[in-house]
Amino acid sequence: MSAGSEIVAPVAGGAMLYDASRSSQPDERVFDRDAWRARGGLEETAGGRGTVAFLRDGERRWVLRHYRRGGLVARVLDDTYLYTGAARTRSFREFRLLRQLRDWRLPVPRPVAARYLRRGVLYRADLVTEEL
């Protein structure tokens, strides 16, 4: 995939990253569990740091990950991180890492969209990937 197909689009309170060569800009509701639940396209399972959301829409089978902290820090900050720039957010970094690993033909999920939402100096993040 060429870097030119990567698009960063503004969303209320942050930004979304997606691959324009795969589809047009995804609706920001792709990150909204309640919207998926209302359509009957959400399956959740407990695991790791919270729940994993499996998203179903026809042939599309995606996984929604909301970033959460672990350890003692999680008791205070739970799912927030210090904002030091869009390119350094966890979701954007993982999106780009997954793209690079796929370019190297490694068996990793294809990234669909990444998002961060800021509140002051902190942010929250989400990542949607294709299910393996």
Side-chain angles (χ1 to χ4, degrees):
M1 172 198 322
S2 70
S5 63
E6 180 181 289
I7 303 293
V8 176
V11 298
M16 176 173 51
L17 172 65
Y18 65 96
D19 176 5
S21 71
R22 300 201 56 241
S23 66
S24 61
Q25 179 175 347
D27 188 315
E28 190 180 357
R29 290 178 294 180
V30 72
F31 302 103
D32 185 346
R33 289 180 189 226
D34 292 333
W36 284 100
R37 187 176 293 111
R39 291 196 309 239
L42 177 69
E43 296 173 26
E44 293 180 296
T45 58
R49 297 179 182 166
T51 59
V52 176
F54 294 94
L55 312 175
R56 308 288 184 251
D57 183 19
E59 295 294 313
R60 293 186 293 192
R61 300 175 66 80
W62 295 339
V63 178
L64 170 60
R65 175 178 174 205
H66 179 70
Y67 287 84
R68 292 193 155 328
R69 290 187 170 278
L72 292 174
V73 176
R75 294 180 186 195
V76 177
L77 297 176
D78 185 33
D79 65 347
T80 57
Y81 300 86
L82 180 64
Y83 182 80
T84 58
R88 296 187 60 169
T89 61
R90 289 175 177 252
S91 56
F92 280 26
R93 290 177 68 175
E94 186 167 348
F95 182 99
R96 290 174 174 142
L97 175 62
L98 288 171
R99 274 194 6 206
Q100 181 61 61
L101 294 174
R102 286 191 63 83
D103 286 348
W104 292 340
R105 304 200 188 295
L106 294 171
V108 298
R110 182 182 309 274
V112 174
R115 172 184 76 166
Y116 71 87
L117 299 174
R118 285 185 64 185
R119 176 177 265 171
V121 298
L122 301 176
Y123 75 93
R124 291 184 165 93
D126 302 285
L127 176 69
V128 175
T129 60
E130 288 184 353
E131 187 176 341
L132 286 178

